[in-house]
mmCIF file of all heavy atoms in Angstrom:
data_model
loop_
_atom_site.group_PDB
_atom_site.id
_atom_site.type_symbol
_atom_site.label_atom_id
_atom_site.label_comp_id
_atom_site.label_asym_id
_atom_site.label_seq_id
_atom_site.Cartn_x
_atom_site.Cartn_y
_atom_site.Cartn_z
ATOM 1 N N MET A 1 98.214 120.296 85.210
ATOM 2 C CA MET A 1 99.552 119.691 85.218
ATOM 3 C C MET A 1 99.582 118.513 84.247
ATOM 4 O O MET A 1 98.741 117.610 84.322
ATOM 5 C CB MET A 1 99.903 119.201 86.629
ATOM 6 C CG MET A 1 101.247 118.485 86.735
ATOM 7 S SD MET A 1 101.591 117.918 88.407
ATOM 8 C CE MET A 1 103.167 117.129 88.152
ATOM 9 N N ASP A 2 100.537 118.493 83.316
ATOM 10 C CA ASP A 2 100.674 117.403 82.364
ATOM 11 C C ASP A 2 101.631 116.347 82.926
ATOM 12 O O ASP A 2 102.734 116.666 83.374
ATOM 13 C CB ASP A 2 101.212 117.924 81.028
ATOM 14 C CG ASP A 2 100.205 118.827 80.324
ATOM 15 O OD1 ASP A 2 98.996 118.568 80.463
ATOM 16 O OD2 ASP A 2 100.639 119.784 79.646
ATOM 17 N N ILE A 3 101.195 115.091 82.883
ATOM 18 C CA ILE A 3 102.009 113.995 83.382
ATOM 19 C C ILE A 3 102.350 113.079 82.217
ATOM 20 O O ILE A 3 101.467 112.658 81.461
ATOM 21 C CB ILE A 3 101.265 113.208 84.476
ATOM 22 C CG1 ILE A 3 100.995 114.094 85.692
ATOM 23 C CG2 ILE A 3 102.076 111.984 84.908
ATOM 24 C CD1 ILE A 3 100.175 113.428 86.770
ATOM 25 N N ASN A 4 103.628 112.795 82.058
ATOM 26 C CA ASN A 4 104.071 111.832 81.059
ATOM 27 C C ASN A 4 103.856 110.442 81.630
ATOM 28 O O ASN A 4 104.654 109.945 82.417
ATOM 29 C CB ASN A 4 105.548 112.059 80.724
ATOM 30 C CG ASN A 4 106.046 111.127 79.630
ATOM 31 O OD1 ASN A 4 105.480 110.074 79.381
ATOM 32 N ND2 ASN A 4 107.118 111.538 78.975
ATOM 33 N N PHE A 5 102.748 109.790 81.254
ATOM 34 C CA PHE A 5 102.366 108.532 81.876
ATOM 35 C C PHE A 5 103.398 107.432 81.647
ATOM 36 O O PHE A 5 103.595 106.580 82.509
ATOM 37 C CB PHE A 5 100.996 108.085 81.358
ATOM 38 C CG PHE A 5 99.864 108.969 81.786
ATOM 39 C CD1 PHE A 5 98.980 109.486 80.868
ATOM 40 C CD2 PHE A 5 99.677 109.282 83.127
ATOM 41 C CE1 PHE A 5 97.928 110.301 81.268
ATOM 42 C CE2 PHE A 5 98.634 110.093 83.539
ATOM 43 C CZ PHE A 5 97.758 110.608 82.600
ATOM 44 N N GLU A 6 104.067 107.442 80.515
ATOM 45 C CA GLU A 6 105.018 106.372 80.222
ATOM 46 C C GLU A 6 106.206 106.392 81.169
ATOM 47 O O GLU A 6 106.797 105.362 81.453
ATOM 48 C CB GLU A 6 105.492 106.471 78.768
ATOM 49 C CG GLU A 6 104.400 106.135 77.759
ATOM 50 C CD GLU A 6 104.946 105.962 76.355
ATOM 51 O OE1 GLU A 6 106.191 105.938 76.200
ATOM 52 O OE2 GLU A 6 104.138 105.858 75.420
ATOM 53 N N ALA A 8 106.043 108.032 84.274
ATOM 54 C CA ALA A 8 105.578 108.398 85.617
ATOM 55 C C ALA A 8 105.754 107.243 86.594
ATOM 56 O O ALA A 8 105.967 106.091 86.215
ATOM 57 C CB ALA A 8 104.120 108.823 85.555
ATOM 58 N N SER A 9 105.653 107.582 87.883
ATOM 59 C CA SER A 9 105.658 106.582 88.945
ATOM 60 C C SER A 9 104.529 106.902 89.909
ATOM 61 O O SER A 9 103.874 107.946 89.808
ATOM 62 C CB SER A 9 106.999 106.613 89.699
ATOM 63 O OG SER A 9 107.079 107.767 90.528
ATOM 64 N N ASP A 12 104.225 110.429 91.496
ATOM 65 C CA ASP A 12 103.717 111.600 90.775
ATOM 66 C C ASP A 12 102.254 111.905 91.086
ATOM 67 O O ASP A 12 101.767 112.985 90.755
ATOM 68 C CB ASP A 12 103.880 111.393 89.270
ATOM 69 C CG ASP A 12 105.338 111.352 88.854
ATOM 70 O OD1 ASP A 12 106.018 112.378 88.991
ATOM 71 O OD2 ASP A 12 105.798 110.286 88.407
ATOM 72 N N PHE A 13 101.557 110.968 91.705
ATOM 73 C CA PHE A 13 100.126 111.149 91.940
ATOM 74 C C PHE A 13 99.780 111.384 93.412
ATOM 75 O O PHE A 13 98.614 111.442 93.767
ATOM 76 C CB PHE A 13 99.366 109.922 91.412
ATOM 77 C CG PHE A 13 99.626 109.664 89.955
ATOM 78 C CD1 PHE A 13 100.675 108.849 89.563
ATOM 79 C CD2 PHE A 13 98.853 110.269 88.988
ATOM 80 C CE1 PHE A 13 100.937 108.624 88.216
ATOM 81 C CE2 PHE A 13 99.103 110.055 87.642
ATOM 82 C CZ PHE A 13 100.151 109.233 87.256
ATOM 83 N N ILE A 16 98.802 116.272 93.431
ATOM 84 C CA ILE A 16 98.859 117.032 92.188
ATOM 85 C C ILE A 16 98.286 118.424 92.439
ATOM 86 O O ILE A 16 97.110 118.552 92.820
ATOM 87 C CB ILE A 16 98.071 116.314 91.080
ATOM 88 C CG1 ILE A 16 98.602 114.883 90.887
ATOM 89 C CG2 ILE A 16 98.178 117.093 89.765
ATOM 90 C CD1 ILE A 16 97.810 114.063 89.903
ATOM 91 N N MET A 19 94.300 120.125 92.051
ATOM 92 C CA MET A 19 93.291 119.076 91.944
ATOM 93 C C MET A 19 92.948 118.558 93.330
ATOM 94 O O MET A 19 93.804 118.531 94.226
ATOM 95 C CB MET A 19 93.796 117.896 91.108
ATOM 96 C CG MET A 19 94.035 118.177 89.657
ATOM 97 S SD MET A 19 94.549 116.657 88.805
ATOM 98 C CE MET A 19 94.915 117.315 87.172
ATOM 99 N N GLN A 27 93.582 110.986 87.217
ATOM 100 C CA GLN A 27 94.879 110.959 86.559
ATOM 101 C C GLN A 27 95.578 109.609 86.772
ATOM 102 O O GLN A 27 96.200 109.065 85.848
ATOM 103 C CB GLN A 27 95.763 112.093 87.083
ATOM 104 C CG GLN A 27 95.308 113.478 86.661
ATOM 105 C CD GLN A 27 95.370 113.678 85.163
ATOM 106 O OE1 GLN A 27 96.383 113.385 84.536
ATOM 107 N NE2 GLN A 27 94.273 114.163 84.588
ATOM 108 N N PHE A 28 95.465 109.082 87.979
ATOM 109 C CA PHE A 28 96.093 107.785 88.257
ATOM 110 C C PHE A 28 95.435 106.688 87.421
ATOM 111 O O PHE A 28 96.116 105.771 86.925
ATOM 112 C CB PHE A 28 95.997 107.456 89.750
ATOM 113 C CG PHE A 28 96.754 106.221 90.138
ATOM 114 C CD1 PHE A 28 98.137 106.231 90.201
ATOM 115 C CD2 PHE A 28 96.090 105.037 90.430
ATOM 116 C CE1 PHE A 28 98.849 105.088 90.545
ATOM 117 C CE2 PHE A 28 96.789 103.892 90.780
ATOM 118 C CZ PHE A 28 98.170 103.919 90.832
ATOM 119 N N ARG A 30 94.163 107.007 84.463
ATOM 120 C CA ARG A 30 94.702 107.135 83.111
ATOM 121 C C ARG A 30 96.107 106.531 83.028
ATOM 122 O O ARG A 30 96.468 105.892 82.030
ATOM 123 C CB ARG A 30 94.730 108.606 82.699
ATOM 124 C CG ARG A 30 93.356 109.231 82.492
ATOM 125 C CD ARG A 30 93.467 110.710 82.188
ATOM 126 N NE ARG A 30 94.263 110.947 80.983
ATOM 127 C CZ ARG A 30 94.738 112.135 80.630
ATOM 128 N NH1 ARG A 30 94.539 113.196 81.410
ATOM 129 N NH2 ARG A 30 95.449 112.267 79.525
ATOM 130 N N TYR A 31 96.876 106.742 84.069
ATOM 131 C CA TYR A 31 98.231 106.173 84.144
ATOM 132 C C TYR A 31 98.187 104.648 84.123
ATOM 133 O O TYR A 31 98.910 103.987 83.362
ATOM 134 C CB TYR A 31 98.894 106.694 85.415
ATOM 135 C CG TYR A 31 100.132 105.973 85.892
ATOM 136 C CD1 TYR A 31 101.320 106.013 85.171
ATOM 137 C CD2 TYR A 31 100.123 105.279 87.105
ATOM 138 C CE1 TYR A 31 102.461 105.378 85.630
ATOM 139 C CE2 TYR A 31 101.258 104.642 87.576
ATOM 140 C CZ TYR A 31 102.417 104.698 86.837
ATOM 141 O OH TYR A 31 103.543 104.066 87.304
#
Side-chain angles (χ1 to χ4, degrees):
M1 177 181 179
D2 293 326
I3 297 176
N4 183 338
F5 293 128
E6 291 192 9
S9 73
D12 294 295
F13 303 90
I16 304 175
M19 294 183 185
Q27 291 296 311
F28 187 74
R30 291 176 59 194
Y31 164 68

